[in-house]
Amino acid sequence: MGSDFKSIPLIDISPLVEKIDDPNMANDKDLLQVVRMLDDACREAGFFYVKGHGIAESLMKEVRDVTQKFFQLPYEEKLKIKMTPQSGYRGYQRVGENVTKGKPDMHEAIDCYTPIEPGQFGDLAKPMEGSNLWYGSNFPPLFVLDIISQSTILFDLPKYPSNFDSLLENYINLLRDLSRKIMRGIALALGGPVDAFEGKTAGDPFWVCRLIGYPVSTDIPEEQRTDTGCGAHTDYGLLTLVNQDDDICALEVRNKSGEWIYAKPLPGTFVCNIGDMLKVWSNGIYQPTLHRVVNNSPRYRVSVAFFYESNFDAAVEPVEFCRERTGGFAKYEKVVYGEHLVQKVLTNFVM
């Protein structure tokens, strides 16, 4: 939240997408112009749109469409993959189960995370060990190990759209690579080497994908209703890419003066924003921006948010070249990303 911005910048990142992995890219004028625009956007708004990202608009729409089809299933079907502690906090959340700053959010969602094997990160990741519950009807019944009781739980899977699992896996792989390229641009924008986020920081990045549905407010029982689809918050990790419906204004971003600015849908673009881990790593050069969702539309809204994070066990702290640019000392303490995420997940979850 760096300025009193009135709109969110749009960046054509096609030169970055095409050239950021080229060892000879250092003097490419078009790429360096994108880097400068990323720097301005991260400093001024903490939010930006990207076009020229290389992901087909038809695929973005297909992901939103298949998400909406899932949320149109009968409630009893959706509950077959209900999020629980035993599922590693993966699966379906009904309206009001996600909580932001103590207030129920008026959305339903499927939460997906990088799969975590039992014992992979020791005690750090125990609450989130498991696999995602998105598999379609072509797969056998899914068995998940309850890490508390060591017993096996059978999930009777709902009748998904037939391409749900393969579509999402392909989409997530594409967004992981796109996010990696944007983070390479951000590394250059901060004055570091292009691979500054790789290795111990985000060489094996954890990812989160939330498929979110925002009902029409009048469809929610009055005694359960609040005024926000998702309360004001910042994101946990490095970078978020949001694929939102083309024709419903609901995502709002707060500027320095406290005004809420619409992130109006621009077809074919992703809305991007920076998160808490980038604030720490950059020693505050870049600050995440508060945002919220208020769905005043008379229609159901879908949003698919992809969160590109650091390594799960990364100890994120202000990097030396950012400390040198900000007085020579660390403004933030070291944060273990996995601890930060687990705390947030447990705080935001209500059974």
Side-chain angles (χ1 to χ4, degrees):
M1 189 175 63
S3 71
D4 289 335
F5 60 92
K6 301 297 182 183
S7 62
I8 295 170
L10 171 63
I11 305 175
D12 182 348
I13 62 169
S14 53
L16 180 144
V17 169
E18 294 166 7
K19 302 170 184 175
I20 194 67
D21 292 331
D22 184 341
N24 300 314
M25 58 82 190
N27 296 315
D28 187 281
K29 293 181 180 178
D30 293 336
L31 186 149
L32 294 178
Q33 176 62 19
V34 173
V35 168
R36 284 189 289 272
M37 294 175 73
L38 285 171
D39 185 44
D40 289 344
C42 289
R43 289 175 183 273
E44 296 298 313
F47 267 75
F48 50 95
Y49 299 93
V50 295
K51 67 176 184 177
H53 45 67
I55 296 178
E57 187 173 350
S58 59
L59 176 60
M60 296 173 68
K61 183 178 186 303
E62 188 178 6
V63 170
R64 297 196 307 271
D65 288 347
V66 80
T67 298
Q68 183 144 19
K69 287 179 182 177
F70 174 85
F71 290 132
Q72 289 172 345
L73 290 171
Y75 182 59
E76 295 74 19
E77 286 291 312
K78 293 184 283 190
L79 282 181
K80 290 179 179 179
I81 58 163
K82 176 178 170 59
M83 180 191 294
T84 66
Q86 290 74 32
S87 70
Y89 297 93
R90 294 161 169 81
Y92 173 73
Q93 281 187 307
R94 69 177 188 269
V95 174
E97 277 192 327
N98 195 77
V99 173
T100 301
K101 296 183 179 177
K103 191 174 182 179
D105 292 322
M106 295 298 98
H107 70 250
E108 56 185 334
I110 303 174
D111 281 17
C112 309
Y113 297 96
T114 303
I116 300 177
E117 297 290 335
Q120 183 176 350
F121 298 106
D123 291 341
L124 177 64
K126 269 200 175 299
M128 299 189 67
E129 290 177 345
S131 300
N132 294 308
L133 308 182
W134 62 31
Y135 296 103
S137 56
N138 293 331
F139 286 75
L142 178 64
F143 292 86
V144 175
L145 179 66
D146 181 341
I147 60 174
I148 299 174
S149 67
Q150 296 301 303
S151 61
T152 301
I153 300 171
L154 169 64
F155 284 86
D156 180 18
L157 297 177
K159 298 178 178 65
Y160 285 116
S162 60
N163 64 335
F164 193 87
D165 57 313
S166 58
L167 176 69
L168 282 178
E169 288 175 354
N170 176 53
Y171 179 75
I172 286 169
N173 286 335
L174 291 172
L175 263 65
R176 284 183 64 191
D177 193 54
L178 173 59
S179 300
R180 178 188 65 82
K181 290 179 177 180
I182 295 173
M183 290 308 303
R184 286 191 137 210
I186 288 175
L188 294 177
L190 284 165
V194 69
D195 61 353
F197 287 103
E198 293 155 31
K200 292 182 179 180
T201 302
D204 183 21
F206 195 78
W207 58 260
V208 180
C209 187
R210 296 200 79 218
L211 293 80
I212 312 169
Y214 297 91
V216 178
S217 60
T218 53
D219 290 344
I220 303 169
E222 190 171 352
E223 65 274 11
Q224 300 175 16
R225 196 182 306 161
T226 66
D227 59 353
T228 51
C230 187
H233 65 284
T234 58
D235 292 342
Y236 316 152
L238 294 172
L239 180 70
T240 305
L241 281 71
V242 177
N243 175 7
Q244 60 176 340
D245 273 339
D246 286 343
D247 54 358
I248 299 175
C249 282
L251 176 59
E252 300 177 347
V253 182
R254 198 173 81 170
N255 68 15
K256 191 173 182 180
S257 294
E259 297 175 278
W260 289 101
I261 309 300
Y262 271 124
K264 296 178 180 179
L266 297 179
T269 69
F270 288 101
V271 184
C272 301
N273 62 278
I274 58 177
D276 298 339
M277 293 300 102
L278 188 53
K279 173 186 72 174
V280 174
W281 195 88
S282 70
N283 209 29
I285 294 173
Y286 295 159
Q287 295 279 338
T289 306
L290 278 173
H291 51 284
R292 68 184 183 186
V293 176
V294 180
N295 185 23
N296 291 322
S297 167
R299 291 184 293 118
Y300 193 96
R301 176 182 183 264
V302 164
S303 174
V304 180
F306 179 80
F307 304 87
Y308 187 83
E309 319 287 77
S310 63
N311 299 349
F312 190 86
D313 57 354
V316 180
E317 59 185 328
V319 70
E320 183 178 357
F321 66 81
C322 288
R323 292 199 308 267
E324 291 172 355
R325 296 178 58 190
T326 51
F329 64 93
K331 297 180 180 180
Y332 302 96
E333 295 182 358
K334 182 186 301 183
V335 178
V336 177
Y337 167 75
E339 291 179 356
H340 185 68
L341 176 65
V342 169
Q343 180 186 27
K344 294 284 189 179
V345 169
L346 297 182
T347 299
N348 289 359
F349 175 74
V350 174
M351 289 287 287

